[in-house]
Amino acid sequence: MRSRHGWLVCLLIANLAHGYEVRRAVAVEDPAILGTQANAEATRCTITDDAAIIGFLSGATNLTVSDQNGRVDSFLDTGVGLVRASRGLGGSELPLDTLDLAVSADGQFVAFRLGSDFTAASGAQWNRIYRLNRNNGNVIIVAGSAAVAPGTGPGLAISNDGRYIAYASSTNLLVPGDTDADTDVFRFDAQTGTTVLVSVDTGSPGADGDVNRIAMDGSGNLIAFDSNEADLVASDTNGASDVFVRNVTAATTIRVSKRSNGNEANGASEVADISDDGAYVLFSSLASNLDSTLTDGNVERDVFRHRLSNGTTRRVSLDSAGAEIAEASVDGAISGDGQFIWLISYRGGNRPQVWRKNLGNDNLLQITNSIGSVFQVDTDLLGTSACFIGSSRSTDLVVGDSNARSDVYRATITTGPTVGITREGQPASAIPSSVLASDSRLLDIDDAGRTLVVLAQTPQLDADTFPEFSMRDQFHAYLVNRFDGAVGSACRNAAGDNTDGSCRMAGISGDGRYVFFESDGTNLHPDVPDAAVNWTQIFRRDQQTGAVDLITRNTVGVVASNGAGSNQALANNASGSRVVFQSSANDLVVNDTNNLPDLFLWDASAGIRRISVRNNGTQANDAPYDRPYMSADGEYVVFAHAADNLVAGDNNGRVDLFLYQVSSSSLTRIAQPATQTSDLARPLDFSRDGQWLAFYSAATQYTDPDNANLFLWNRSTGVISEITNGQMPGELLTLPVSFLRDNSGLIFGVDSDPSPNVLTQTLYRRYFASGAPFAVLTVPSVANPEMSPHAAGAMRIATDQSAFLEYNWPLALTDNNGGLDIGELQSGYGFAEFATATIDVDESAGSVNIEVFRRFGQAFDADVLAVPANGSAVNGSDFNASPTGLLYLWQDGMSGMASATLTITDDATTEPTEQFTLSLADYGLIQPGAITTLTVNIIDNDDVLFADGFEQ
């Protein structure tokens, strides 16, 4: 508390630890916009024998209120609610994605497999398989580490009673005698705690092939798997993957992907399922010689059922009349007695759909006919219900599907037959979510930081475009207002309509007037044709007038043949009159014959020129590397390039840095020490005045005492120096780097922990005049060493020195996606404004607190005066305030509300409401906010007023 000019000033702010605060800068406009829909993909499902429970995998953050790990988890839809099944030994959240799940017949037991995270410091639970007993919550370890080869199919199964768990793994330490590094099948007995190797021949283990998918009967004794191993059975000479069944009790292995007469398949086969009673095995195959009754002439994958008792193989993927289906049938599931087969087939179209085949009467019933694809199916014991995954475009399966994500569905067949489809995997009531389950990326900001350009997955972020983007599961560039959080598409036409195509790259001019973007939309400009194949083009939109310029025009003024097609970051000047972009088009300029991507500069007055060429016109013999940068005045462009013929003497065979000067049309290789570098260099940022370049290189030719690989190059002097200036004890991270907009310094991030296995990222601000860096943020260390480390990513700094950055640590309980979000490090001055534009105070109150807020900034000591001005209320008689104003102060590291008290005088005179104003002025560092004038209404409440405003 302090006093100045006799007026009381209260600072109700606390200093912040670990530098300045990070606030979420980009959030979902309407957290309840999805309702009960998941905000991430469902990727696999299974259904219990009685069809009461559906298990599935999902990375959604809004299915249960306690989901804070930001990972793919296993869930159970019990019909009355959702239960998250994947949990650790103590019931805690898991730090890794769940890759697979299996559910026992009654849903009591759930087996699930974890993945790995090679960015984490510890891997204690990598590739671990657990089994949960839902009755008592007990979790046991099935396999301590059971790595699985990338791209393999379902590799986890559980017996009806939950005792046996079968799984595929390439780990060779699970049982004695497994000496190869191939993927094998194992079975774990939860009752005895023993594990046996399944993918063996009748005598001893094989050693020359991998297992892809597995299935297990209800008893847990028969395990079906496919393998390209050639010595599991005798006379396996087809050189293709086959399907086998292992009888664990009898210790026998037989091949089932064969013709009824025993002939081996002439194509690869893959297991799909095994019936609950163990009588039938379902598999798909590319073989054309397995059907004994009908010539297989479709040259596509088909689905077959093999009967173990007599060795007969029957093609299932035939129509109701027994005719061949011309298209591929790729997967399926089989009922407990083997009569009903649920198929995933392309029959009649180019998108896979769900069908059910009744082998009792050959009837083939179509279950889905969606505009999107469906994949992966599982059926109950009777074959009357199934679960399946519908793609993000399958929005016509149920009413109200608008989340643009793959979902889990239930299909039920009743008499008639009548098919009913419902979407499962949704909570009973909506769980609002202000985050996206996927990463968001920071593309650009304007100078003032008023508008952020962000790349995020549709459709959740923007409430206005939500209905339009409900079928677009894609990343989209958005414009986000820093102050009110409003979100809008960056790619619009002159009428304000959103692009009907892609929108993955955008940038904004320094003054915020122009937005540059890349899109293949056909509704953006009248000169862009609606062709069968549309290349992405570069556009500029005037945010004030709505006018849209088509930038990528060829030499005769029409749309470029190959457009931009790069989705590489754009570089533009502050006024928006110039932009640099990468393109593979060969008709943007004359004599472009190198058949390589090049860098081009568009000028609103002069058109397009190619800048990645030698000064004598020689074309580059390689491609640009990473993104370009441009000075604020548009005079200088910096970029990295792999070509070795852009300047004389370039023979290091590495990616080098180049400076292009627009006025002289000259190209120079820059930031080279006396000896050419032996490693690549890539730009990290370019100061707005074109004087300083920050770049990364591991080349040993640079003087780098900190071994940080971060350097500064000065254009005027050519001097190369290190950025970190002694702040580099760790080894794991040297990003991000961004210059201050006034060119006085920069903010950079390094690993501040000397341990080689622990990342503790610290962001430092360094002014060139003083040299010594000082910390502005220490990123909190990750609590669980098995999780990805917390770190800041791409960064841009606004005029007031606030830094906008990508971050991946939780700022609050609702920040639960575990991915990259966009935050504002309040390392700037911020803005001062009143809490409201008008306040009322009774004349008899004696005093009034006037609140002023410092928002969007916490750095540096800041102050502002609230200067009074008489209205009908007069200073000295109706209120008392210093003519110089009420002083508000915030120390470095402080933000929020400050209050000052002034006196209200009760003159006992009957009078109407009187007014005076306070205006913020004389800002010390801090900048004006939105509400800079406050009207104070002094209400005389001595008695009731007449209609003319006077008291009775």
Side-chain angles (χ1 to χ4, degrees):
M1 182 180 295
R2 61 182 295 175
S3 177
R4 186 173 177 179
H5 301 305
W7 312 112
L8 186 64
V9 178
C10 301
L11 298 180
L12 305 179
I13 317 103
N15 215 334
L16 299 165
H18 306 299
Y20 304 113
E21 184 181 28
V22 177
R23 72 167 191 93
R24 171 179 285 278
V26 178
V28 174
E29 280 190 314
D30 179 5
I33 196 167
L34 289 178
T36 58
Q37 300 179 98
N39 63 4
E41 315 284 349
T43 54
R44 176 161 174 76
C45 77
T46 183
I47 192 169
T48 55
D49 279 358
D50 61 2
I53 296 174
I54 290 178
F56 64 99
L57 300 180
S58 176
T61 64
N62 63 336
L63 297 183
T64 60
V65 293
S66 59
D67 192 343
Q68 297 291 318
N69 65 350
R71 294 289 190 171
V72 175
D73 290 305
S74 61
F75 297 87
L76 300 180
D77 190 329
T78 65
V80 295
L82 295 183
V83 177
R84 184 164 52 156
S86 48
R87 64 186 73 169
L89 293 176
S92 60
E93 287 194 304
L94 292 167
L96 302 165
D97 287 338
T98 303
L99 302 183
D100 209 345
L101 85 160
V103 183
S104 63
D106 61 358
Q108 177 182 347
F109 296 97
V110 181
F112 53 92
R113 180 202 295 268
L114 301 185
S116 56
D117 184 349
F118 293 101
T119 66
S122 171
Q125 296 185 86
W126 289 4
N127 307 304
R128 182 171 289 182
I129 299 176
Y130 291 99
R131 190 200 70 170
L132 166 69
N133 184 337
R134 293 181 57 229
N135 285 357
N136 57 21
N138 186 42
V139 177
I140 63 172
I141 298 175
V142 172
S145 180
V148 62
T152 55
L156 190 64
I158 193 169
S159 60
N160 284 347
D161 61 2
R163 174 178 175 177
Y164 300 106
I165 295 96
Y167 59 92
S169 174
S170 58
T171 303
N172 60 4
L173 301 175
L174 297 169
V175 296
D178 183 7
T179 58
D180 61 55
D182 298 324
T183 301
D184 292 305
V185 184
F186 304 85
R187 191 193 72 170
F188 173 78
D189 185 339
Q191 183 171 302
T192 65
T194 58
T195 299
V196 296
L197 181 64
V198 172
S199 51
V200 296
D201 61 24
T202 303
S204 61
D208 65 348
D210 289 298
V211 170
N212 180 28
R213 302 178 63 171
I214 70 169
M216 185 164 62
D217 74 343
S219 71
N221 183 51
L222 298 180
I223 300 172
F225 60 93
D226 54 67
S227 174
N228 59 6
E229 193 164 332
D231 60 352
L232 290 173
V233 295
S235 303
D236 187 347
T237 60
N238 63 354
S241 178
D242 290 300
V243 178
F244 304 87
V245 171
R246 177 71 173 178
N247 186 317
V248 179
T249 302
T252 59
T253 301
I254 62 172
R255 180 165 53 168
V256 298
S257 55
K258 59 185 180 180
R259 194 178 175 98
S260 298
N261 63 5
N263 290 348
E264 62 181 354
N266 62 5
S269 302
E270 187 176 83
V271 70
D273 202 2
I274 187 170
S275 61
D276 190 74
D277 60 9
Y280 299 95
V281 177
L282 191 70
F283 66 93
S284 67
S285 181
L286 290 169
S288 62
N289 66 333
L290 296 177
D291 193 336
S292 302
T293 61
L294 182 68
T295 300
D296 190 342
N298 63 358
V299 198
E300 297 283 0
R301 183 176 290 274
D302 286 298
V303 175
F304 300 85
R305 186 191 71 171
H306 181 84
R307 187 170 186 170
L308 293 175
S309 62
N310 61 13
T312 57
T313 297
R314 176 178 177 180
R315 182 153 51 147
V316 173
S317 51
L318 301 173
D319 67 17
S320 298
E324 184 174 67
I325 296 173
E327 297 81 14
S329 298
V330 296
D331 202 1
I334 191 169
S335 62
D337 61 1
Q339 177 181 347
F340 296 102
I341 312 296
W342 292 72
L343 295 172
I344 301 292
S345 177
Y346 285 84
R347 185 194 181 198
N350 58 5
R351 297 179 304 275
Q353 302 295 322
V354 179
W355 306 72
R356 192 191 73 162
K357 179 77 170 183
N358 184 343
L359 293 182
N361 59 17
D362 284 333
N363 180 60
L364 181 65
L365 176 66
Q366 185 167 10
I367 305 300
T368 65
N369 185 21
S370 174
I371 59 175
S373 301
V374 298
F375 53 95
Q376 201 270 306
V377 65
D378 189 33
T379 182
D380 66 350
L381 190 66
L382 297 178
T384 56
S385 293
C387 71
F388 63 90
I389 304 296
S391 70
S392 60
R393 292 189 60 84
S394 298
T395 58
D396 54 348
L397 291 173
V398 297
V399 175
D401 186 350
S402 57
N403 63 344
R405 303 291 184 270
S406 60
D407 292 303
V408 57
Y409 296 87
R410 176 196 295 267
T412 304
I413 301 175
T414 55
T415 56
T418 301
V419 178
I421 296 177
T422 57
R423 183 162 52 158
E424 305 294 313
Q426 300 181 91
S429 58
I431 300 175
S433 178
S434 61
V435 302
L436 301 179
S438 55
D439 289 344
S440 298
R441 308 308 298 258
L442 179 63
L443 301 180
D444 204 1
I445 66 171
D446 63 4
D447 286 343
R450 292 188 179 92
T451 302
L452 285 62
V453 186
V454 173
L455 185 68
Q457 195 172 11
T458 56
Q460 186 183 354
L461 193 63
D462 179 18
D464 291 336
T465 60
F466 180 81
E468 184 178 349
F469 291 168
S470 62
M471 289 182 61
R472 300 194 198 181
D473 182 9
Q474 62 186 22
F475 279 87
H476 193 92
Y478 291 98
L479 304 180
V480 181
N481 186 294
R482 173 188 185 184
F483 302 115
D484 62 16
V487 181
S489 173
C491 303
R492 298 175 182 268
N493 62 20
D497 302 322
N498 300 313
T499 176
D500 58 7
S502 64
C503 180
R504 291 182 59 86
M505 184 52 62
I508 192 168
S509 61
D511 58 10
R513 176 171 178 174
Y514 294 101
V515 173
F516 297 89
F517 61 90
E518 181 175 345
S519 176
D520 61 3
T522 61
N523 65 333
L524 295 170
H525 195 281
D527 291 348
V528 176
D530 185 4
V533 176
N534 292 293
W535 296 91
T536 59
Q537 307 291 337
I538 305 293
F539 302 87
R540 183 185 75 163
R541 186 174 192 271
D542 188 329
Q543 298 291 88
Q544 295 180 6
T545 67
V548 174
D549 297 306
L550 170 62
I551 289 176
T552 43
R553 295 179 182 271
N554 65 15
T555 54
V556 295
V558 300
V559 62
S561 58
N562 293 332
S566 67
N567 281 316
Q568 296 293 320
L570 308 172
N572 54 265
N573 63 346
S575 66
S577 63
R578 290 175 177 171
V579 64
V580 174
F581 60 93
Q582 180 176 314
S583 175
S584 297
N586 60 7
D587 57 350
L588 290 171
V589 295
V590 297
N591 300 321
D592 186 348
T593 59
N594 63 350
N595 294 317
L596 288 167
D598 291 301
L599 287 173
F600 298 88
L601 183 146
W602 173 85
D603 185 287
S605 301
I608 293 178
R609 70 173 83 175
R610 184 164 49 159
I611 63 174
S612 55
V613 292
R614 192 165 177 156
N615 291 335
N616 63 6
T618 300
Q619 300 180 88
N621 60 8
D622 212 325
Y625 183 88
D626 217 333
R627 59 156 298 168
Y629 292 85
M630 178 180 278
S631 60
D633 60 3
E635 172 68 359
Y636 297 100
V637 180
V638 168
F639 58 89
H641 209 287
D644 62 5
N645 65 337
L646 293 179
V647 296
D650 185 352
N651 54 17
N652 62 354
R654 302 300 182 193
V655 173
D656 292 313
L657 298 170
F658 296 86
L659 176 75
Y660 181 83
Q661 185 171 5
V662 177
S663 60
S664 63
S665 300
S666 60
L667 185 68
T668 309
R669 185 165 63 150
I670 59 172
Q672 281 288 322
T675 303
Q676 288 190 89
T677 54
S678 58
D679 208 336
L680 68 81
R682 55 185 293 257
L684 301 176
D685 200 11
F686 192 37
S687 64
R688 304 292 281 171
D689 62 358
Q691 283 293 330
W692 296 95
L693 170 67
F695 67 96
Y696 167 90
S697 180
T700 58
Q701 289 76 18
Y702 293 110
T703 302
D704 189 12
D706 294 333
N707 196 30
N709 301 329
L710 295 179
F711 301 95
L712 285 172
W713 173 79
N714 185 281
R715 180 177 57 83
S716 297
T717 65
V719 172
I720 301 171
S721 58
E722 62 172 354
I723 288 177
T724 50
N725 200 16
Q727 302 296 329
M728 186 60 189
E731 303 177 356
L732 299 181
L733 189 74
T734 56
L735 289 174
V737 176
S738 187
F739 286 105
L740 306 181
R741 295 264 164 169
D742 63 3
N743 313 300
S744 62
L746 76 169
I747 294 178
F748 64 92
V750 295
D751 177 13
S752 58
D753 193 309
S755 170
N757 298 317
V758 178
L759 170 64
T760 302
Q761 186 187 29
T762 299
L763 298 187
Y764 293 91
R765 178 156 41 200
R766 175 187 169 190
Y767 292 105
F768 298 139
S770 58
F774 57 95
V776 293
L777 173 69
T778 298
V779 174
S781 298
V782 63
N784 190 329
E786 290 189 78
M787 299 185 71
S788 300
H790 293 158
M795 179 171 62
R796 301 286 187 275
I797 301 175
T799 303
D800 77 327
Q801 298 193 24
S802 293
F804 297 87
L805 48 81
E806 298 168 357
Y807 72 96
N808 69 340
W809 61 93
L811 300 179
L813 287 177
T814 56
D815 194 352
N816 64 336
N817 60 353
L820 285 176
D821 292 301
I822 311 301
E824 178 185 345
L825 173 63
Q826 300 195 34
S827 54
Y829 317 130
F831 300 83
E833 65 179 1
F834 291 108
T836 181
T838 305
I839 60 172
D840 296 334
V841 58
D842 289 340
E843 188 180 51
S844 60
S847 63
V848 60
N849 283 332
I850 306 298
E851 297 176 351
V852 176
F853 282 80
R854 183 187 191 182
R855 307 188 194 275
F856 304 104
Q858 298 172 328
F860 315 106
D861 295 342
D863 60 84
V864 67
L865 289 169
V867 180
N870 293 336
S872 53
V874 177
N875 193 1
S877 58
D878 298 303
F879 67 96
N880 290 308
S882 169
T884 58
L886 309 178
L887 177 65
Y888 297 86
L889 298 171
W890 294 266
Q891 295 177 351
D892 182 33
M894 294 183 175
S895 63
M897 186 267 288
S899 68
T901 301
L902 57 78
T903 303
I904 301 296
T905 303
D906 189 348
D907 56 13
T909 302
T910 301
E911 54 194 354
T913 296
E914 297 175 306
Q915 297 178 338
F916 68 94
T917 59
L918 293 166
S919 297
L920 298 183
D922 195 18
Y923 296 88
L925 287 185
I926 203 168
Q927 300 182 66
I931 307 174
T932 58
T933 299
L934 172 67
T935 300
V936 180
N937 298 314
I938 303 176
I939 301 173
D940 189 332
N941 63 348
D942 290 338
D943 207 340
V944 180
L945 296 178
F946 284 118
D948 59 6
F950 289 89
E951 294 179 346
Q952 297 181 14

